[in-house]
Structure formats: structure tokens, C-alpha cells
Amino acid sequence: MVARLTVLSGVGAKGPACFLVEAAGRRLLLDLGEGPDAGMRPDLSGLDRVDAILLSHGHPDHTGALDLRRRLGDPPVWATAPVLEALPVPEADRRVLPLRGITEVSGVVVETGRSGHAPGGVWLRPAVGGGLLYMGDSCPESDVYAYDPPPPAATLVLDASYGVWDDTRAACRAALDPWFDRPALVMPVPAGGRGPEIALHLLATGRPPPALDAANRAALDRLTGDGADGVRPGALSGLRRLAAVPGTATAERPVHGIVLAATADASGGLAGTLAAACADAAEPAILFTGYLGRGTPAERLVAAGRAAVLRWPVHPRLSANADLVRATAAVRVVPAFGDARHLAVWSKTFAPAAVTLDRTVDL
Ligand SMILES: [Zn+2]
């Protein structure tokens, strides 16, 4: 099948995900995100209609511009059930993708598998042009979210969010350990991502269970209930123990021990309330573990020295991406969500596959 991939947004720099796949007269959009910095949206000018939108997972930089589907002929939105639940899409326009399986989407066969990054997160592999594997955001090393090794594909759009960074998880945790032993620590985290991962790590390393805000508590309840098929089997008993701990963190009491609270950039939720309330105090400590969006409280608090940032990895490191290129036998690699300045290292690391940052790729 003659096919083409067009990068509408998401290659060359951290930005919203949006990729167009055209094959045999069909047009599929992979993700339609906004962010991670406020106001970043894909430019859809010149695109009048698509047959379907497929979503890799529910994070805003992959789903936040779904209101633009009106300009694209209101196509149906395909995603897994946990992702669909939270979307502002009318019931009649929703289509369910399996966590693992094969689905026909507007005449194109699409395989999905769990991507290890977030609840309901999947990689997508439309059977066009020798196979196009779109990883979305992925993490083969998560202790909580299950990961299905994807099948071979001629073209691989991989998650290069971390550029050429290649530290091990053990090294990341060694850097975080002293923080976990502080008497009072606020950790702003996304509930639909690393919040439950960090909670499980604290439990697994013999520390007291952290206090959880309502968002992280609800995420744990889902992961141990309807969402259990997205969880690594070895993680379920620990997550159930965490879910059984009574109480929800609120802004009423002073912080003791570790509080895990949304939102990840402290722009809202309990993390926002706590960070604002203690911005001018010395305690509790505040630790961010993800991307610092421009103009967010997270960025301001870190710049002022009031908070720190250390990575809790939720994207693949370079070695994992090199393994993926080899395992899928890809001949063409599109590194998504990473800075173009890494092109030379990517090209050397992923050889003999050809690495491209081109806007259009014939498949
Ligand atoms: Zn994500």
C-alpha cells in the first residue's frame, strides 16, 4: 500500500504530538495534542478532513487539541477505554481500541500494544508501507505500567523526549533517595503517570506509604480495579496495599512525610495549593520530577531555588530506543519529541536505520 507520513507537530523539539498517515485514499491522524508549554498547538491549516483520529494516551500534549476535530469533519476518535473515559468527545464519536490487539480503523488494519507510560497508553501500528510503528510516549522500564514489545515495522516513530540521555533507573533513584528521607516533602506529580510509580517505589523500598491527594487516590483505585489489565502483574499487590491505606491528603494539615499530589507543574490541584501556601517558607521541601512547562509555578519555584527538579524517568533512555530500533528491524526512524540538535548521535546510535526529521516521509 502506497503510504505517507506527515509530521504536523512533534518532531525537532518538545511539542504537541500530531502525525498524519495517508494510505489508499484514507487519512488517519495520530494524536492531536496541545503543549507541553501553554498555547502550543499543531498547525492544521491545509488539512480539511480526516477519516479517524487515533490517540496513544490521554496526556494533554497528545489529546489537548481535540476541539480542532470540528475543522476536520468531526471524525471518530479511537483510543483505549481508560483514555476515552476522560475525553471531551461525544459518546457517539468514540471508538474503543484494545490495549493489545488488531482493529480495522477506516479500512486500515491497526495493531496496538501497551506502551508502559500511562493508564490506557498504547503504541499504534497501522499496517501501511511495511508497517508504521508509532510509539507515542513510551517507557519499557516502568514498574507499574505494562509494556508489550512491538512487532517489526519498516518505519518507527519513537519517543525521543529525553534526547540522548542514557542514565539508568538505578542512577535516577540513587539521586532521589535522599529526598525521599526528608521529614516533609511535597511532590507534584501527574496522577495518570508517575504518581502511582513513585508511591509503589516508596513502598517497595520499605518507606511509609506516602499521603495521596484525591487525584492520585482515584488513579490507584482505577489501576487496581477496571484498569488492572494495563498494570504489570508484579505491581498489583503493592498497588492494592497502597490503595487500602485510608485517608486523603488535604491542604488543611501541615505536611509530614511525603505528599504526592497533582498537578505535576503545581498550576492547580492540591500541589498548586500547597506550593502557593509554602512558597515563601523553608519547609516542606518541594521536588518536581518531570518537564517544567514555561510560565508554570514549577518553573518559577525551581528558578527561585525554592524547589528542585530531578528526573523520574517516564520516557525511554537512549539505550532502550537503540534496543527498540534493533528489535523492530526498522529501516527508517523518526525521533519524536526530542531536540533536533541530537540528530548526529541518533543517526550513529540507530544505524543502519536511517534517521529523519523530514516533515513528510514516504513509507
Ligand atoms: Zn505522556
Side-chain angles (χ1 to χ4, degrees):
M1 195 187 293
V2 176
R4 172 179 285 183
L5 172 73
T6 302
V7 178
L8 295 170
S9 172
V11 169
K14 188 87 180 153
C18 191
F19 299 83
L20 176 69
V21 181
E22 295 172 279
R26 303 291 175 161
R27 289 169 155 188
L28 309 182
L29 209 59
L30 308 181
D31 284 337
L32 185 49
E34 177 179 72
D37 295 328
M40 291 177 80
R41 309 197 110 200
D43 178 6
L44 301 185
S45 56
L47 186 62
D48 55 358
R49 54 160 278 284
V50 300
D51 296 293
I53 298 172
L54 296 88
L55 302 175
S56 61
H57 66 296
H59 291 163
D61 52 335
H62 293 255
T63 64
L66 271 175
D67 55 294
L68 296 177
R69 60 190 277 275
R70 260 173 284 144
R71 291 195 209 163
L72 304 173
D74 275 321
V77 176
W78 293 76
T80 63
V83 173
L84 282 173
E85 257 171 38
L87 292 182
V89 174
E91 195 76 36
D93 295 340
R94 301 179 186 201
R95 307 283 186 276
V96 180
L97 285 173
L99 285 171
R100 284 180 292 176
I102 291 176
T103 310
E104 191 174 309
V105 177
S106 294
V108 179
V109 172
V110 178
E111 184 169 355
T112 48
R114 298 168 297 181
S115 59
H117 171 79
V122 290
W123 45 257
L124 303 157
R125 186 189 179 283
V128 299
L132 167 65
L133 176 60
Y134 172 63
M135 295 304 292
D137 286 349
S138 63
C139 189
E141 299 179 292
S142 170
D143 291 330
V144 167
Y145 303 107
Y147 178 84
D148 298 309
T155 304
L156 169 60
V157 182
L158 55 70
D159 175 5
S161 294
Y162 289 161
V164 296
W165 180 82
D166 205 21
D167 287 0
T168 63
R169 293 177 84 71
C172 293
R173 286 169 183 184
L176 285 159
D177 263 343
W179 288 85
F180 292 149
D181 295 325
R182 293 182 70 132
L185 175 65
V186 174
M187 297 189 69
V189 291
R194 60 186 179 275
E197 290 180 316
I198 294 171
L200 185 66
H201 171 73
L202 294 171
L203 193 75
T205 50
R207 296 178 167 95
L212 303 174
D213 70 337
N216 277 277
R217 178 152 292 289
L220 264 185
D221 288 343
R222 281 194 296 272
L223 288 173
T224 54
D226 288 350
D229 48 359
V231 173
R232 284 193 191 265
L236 264 178
S237 65
L239 294 176
R240 287 194 182 114
R241 278 172 61 200
L242 287 165
V245 176
T248 300
T250 67
E252 306 302 318
R253 291 184 290 273
V255 172
H256 292 295
I258 300 176
V259 175
L260 295 178
T263 64
D265 60 4
S267 63
L270 181 62
T273 305
L274 291 173
C278 67
D280 298 321
E283 292 288 330
I286 305 172
L287 179 63
F288 294 94
T289 49
Y291 179 77
L292 303 178
R294 248 176 275 156
T296 60
E299 187 191 52
R300 286 196 294 277
L301 289 162
V302 171
R306 175 61 184 88
V309 59
L310 283 172
R311 179 168 287 166
W312 177 276
V314 294
H315 300 280
R317 59 197 176 99
L318 185 65
S319 308
N321 273 334
D323 291 345
L324 179 66
V325 173
R326 275 191 291 276
T328 55
V331 297
R332 208 175 290 112
V333 172
V334 180
F337 321 129
D339 196 300
R341 72 178 193 274
H342 300 305
L343 177 61
V345 178
W346 285 330
S347 294
K348 187 167 170 240
T349 307
F350 303 149
V355 177
T356 178
L357 300 177
D358 290 351
R359 188 167 184 276
T360 57
V361 180
D362 288 326
L363 305 176

